[in-house]
Amino acid sequence: RRYDLSWRMLAAQAYIESSFDSVALGDGGAMGLMQIMPNTWREWAPVVEMSDPFDSYSNALVAAVYLDYLRTMLGKQGRPEAEWMLVAYNWGIDKVLKHLAAGLGWDELPPESRQYALDILQIAATLPAN
């Protein structure tokens, strides 16, 4: 609620990222439930006063504040949609901003990044309301 994000989307993202494994370690050092990269953790964990990347609540909260930041940045580029926010989480905000600055759109994104976002949103849409 704090960041106006759908809990269904966050749950679907946790499933895609780590299969709900709070102690998962991924490629490049991605950590925890939401597979947050170490640099992202170092930047955003202090914002929400979290210290343990392997605590599920802490990891999800850092992911949420970061997603909110991504949505804000992309909103300034005319792309506030959840799909773009999720692509930026997966592919990197710098790559997405360069992509947009080059006048490229959704269809020119890497297929795996598009699919990542679409899979999350599709799973989220299947979760019950309560």
Side-chain angles (χ1 to χ4, degrees):
R1 288 184 189 173
R2 185 185 312 183
Y3 298 105
D4 192 29
L5 294 167
S6 161
W7 71 265
R8 291 170 190 82
M9 185 193 73
L10 291 170
Q13 188 175 11
Y15 173 74
I16 293 291
E17 286 288 352
S18 71
S19 297
F20 299 118
D21 183 354
S22 64
V23 295
L25 281 172
D27 296 338
M31 303 176 293
L33 191 66
M34 302 297 278
Q35 289 294 279
I36 299 173
M37 295 302 289
N39 286 340
T40 303
W41 180 266
R42 282 190 289 276
E43 182 175 354
W44 291 97
V47 173
V48 290
E49 300 176 344
M50 293 295 128
S51 61
D52 182 0
F54 300 105
D55 172 72
S56 296
Y57 176 77
S58 299
N59 196 277
L61 186 58
V62 170
V65 70
Y66 183 56
L67 285 163
D68 183 54
Y69 162 77
L70 295 173
R71 180 178 50 198
T72 299
M73 293 297 293
L74 291 164
K76 292 176 183 177
Q77 302 298 315
R79 296 290 180 194
E81 302 88 2
E83 295 93 321
W84 284 93
M85 174 182 65
L86 292 167
V87 166
Y89 188 96
N90 177 258
W91 194 38
I93 186 65
D94 291 339
K95 290 177 185 174
V96 171
L97 291 175
K98 286 178 187 175
H99 180 86
L100 292 171
L104 301 172
W106 180 258
D107 292 335
E108 293 81 28
L109 287 166
E112 60 275 8
S113 293
R114 287 193 320 258
Q115 195 61 52
Y116 169 85
L118 295 174
D119 286 349
I120 290 170
L121 295 173
Q122 182 178 20
I123 291 167
T126 68
L127 297 176
N130 292 333

